[in-house]
Amino acid sequence: METRLDRSGIDRINIRIATDAAREAIRWAHVTFGDRMVVLSSMQETTLVELAMRVDRSIPIAFLDNGHHFAETLDTVRRVERRYGIEVERVGPVEPVRDDVRSGECCDLKPALLETALAGRDAWLSGIRRSQTAHRSAAPIVERDRRGKVKVNPIVQWNDDEHRRFVAEYDVIRNPLLDRGYTSIGCRTCTAPPPDDVDVRSGRWADSDREECGLHL
């Protein structure tokens, strides 16, 4: 029998299928690596955290703190902890925080923090998506990073519409800066609301041709 669906019904099915696929990737990583894996969140929004918590609330969540984040980002960490009843692993800062860092120098601190987060672990989960940048356009669901660690990208296939619908459907915690004109949130030193009619990450490192903070290279 033919099933008739309106637009909203189709949207819900797409959300469910995308969600199930992402949860399956997380579940595979959790079963395979157990406590030797970690979910990395920048706290721009917490889609990956929400998905992981729906798999198992024992899955560790890590946040890399280089000392240059917005107060709103740090508050997002606390909101995540309250909602899920967990303690987020805050990694860093590991050196005195300078006030005179230039755009991009703050991000250069992050790879060392990731090394610390991954010490004794074999895998990490990232929330990157192919639609975000040209550099990420061919990213696979499962890969080896430059350290030889397994990197899992559970929502890499999601397009922007699928992502927005999931955030709305599940009331995903979002950084409040997203409601103030910011579209891609990193360090306060190198992040600004983007100009009109350009790609969403153009507010990052606006004075250079840099596209990544160094974690996903």
Side-chain angles (χ1 to χ4, degrees), residues 128-130 132-139 211-212 216-217:
I128 65 169
R129 293 183 293 113
R130 292 173 186 153
Q132 291 171 324
T133 68
H135 174 76
R136 299 176 181 181
S137 63
E211 293 185 0
E212 292 285 353
H216 304 290
L217 298 176

Side-chain angles (χ1 to χ4, degrees), residues 7-198:
R7 181 70 258 174
S8 63
I10 290 173
D11 285 346
R12 284 194 298 272
I13 289 173
N14 281 328
I15 292 171
R16 189 178 71 216
I17 291 172
T19 300
D20 287 348
R23 288 174 65 182
E24 185 56 35
I26 296 170
R27 187 175 295 107
W28 170 82
H30 184 46
V31 169
T32 302
F33 299 104
D35 60 5
R36 293 178 290 111
M37 60 158 272
V38 65
V39 171
L40 191 69
S41 177
S42 68
M43 300 295 163
Q44 171 171 303
E45 50 76 29
T46 58
T47 294
L48 192 59
V49 176
E50 173 71 20
L51 287 163
M53 294 299 95
R54 287 174 175 270
V55 172
D56 193 315
R57 293 204 177 190
S58 71
I59 293 175
I61 309 296
F63 170 70
L64 307 184
D65 186 0
N66 62 1
H68 298 283
H69 287 289
F70 292 97
E72 290 85 350
T73 302
L74 300 178
D75 185 60
T76 301
V77 176
R78 291 187 285 269
R79 290 165 61 203
V80 164
E81 292 178 321
R82 290 194 298 269
R83 172 178 284 192
Y84 302 110
I86 63 173
E87 183 175 350
V88 173
E89 295 182 15
R90 294 171 174 82
V91 184
V94 296
E95 59 183 54
V97 177
R98 294 166 38 213
D99 293 327
D100 61 342
V101 296
R102 293 177 297 176
S103 176
E105 288 184 338
C106 46
C107 296
D108 291 337
L109 301 171
K110 292 180 180 178
L113 297 178
L114 180 57
E115 297 285 352
T116 299
L118 294 181
R121 288 172 164 145
D122 299 325
W124 58 295
L125 276 64
S126 159
I128 65 169
R129 293 183 293 113
R130 292 173 186 153
S131 62
Q132 291 171 324
T133 68
H135 174 76
R136 299 176 181 181
S137 63
I141 297 175
V142 180
E143 60 183 321
R144 288 274 184 187
D145 71 7
R146 63 179 180 271
R147 305 162 195 81
K149 306 280 187 180
V150 173
K151 181 184 177 189
V152 184
N153 308 307
I155 61 173
V156 72
Q157 300 178 85
W158 292 18
N159 60 37
D160 293 344
D161 286 340
E162 289 169 332
H163 184 248
R164 279 192 292 267
R165 287 197 294 266
F166 181 89
V167 169
E169 179 76 13
Y170 294 100
D171 190 27
V172 169
I173 294 174
R174 302 168 72 249
N175 192 310
L177 292 174
L178 294 173
D179 296 323
R180 302 178 200 168
Y182 291 80
T183 54
S184 180
I185 302 167
C187 315
R188 64 180 184 274
T189 312
C190 59
T191 305
D196 293 336
D197 301 321
V198 291

Side-chain angles (χ1 to χ4, degrees), residues 103-104 133-135 199 201-202 204-213 217:
S103 176
T133 68
H135 174 76
D199 77 271
R201 286 175 65 86
S202 64
R204 303 281 296 278
W205 315 291
D207 56 351
S208 74
D209 58 0
R210 185 170 185 156
E211 293 185 0
E212 292 285 353
C213 63
L217 298 176

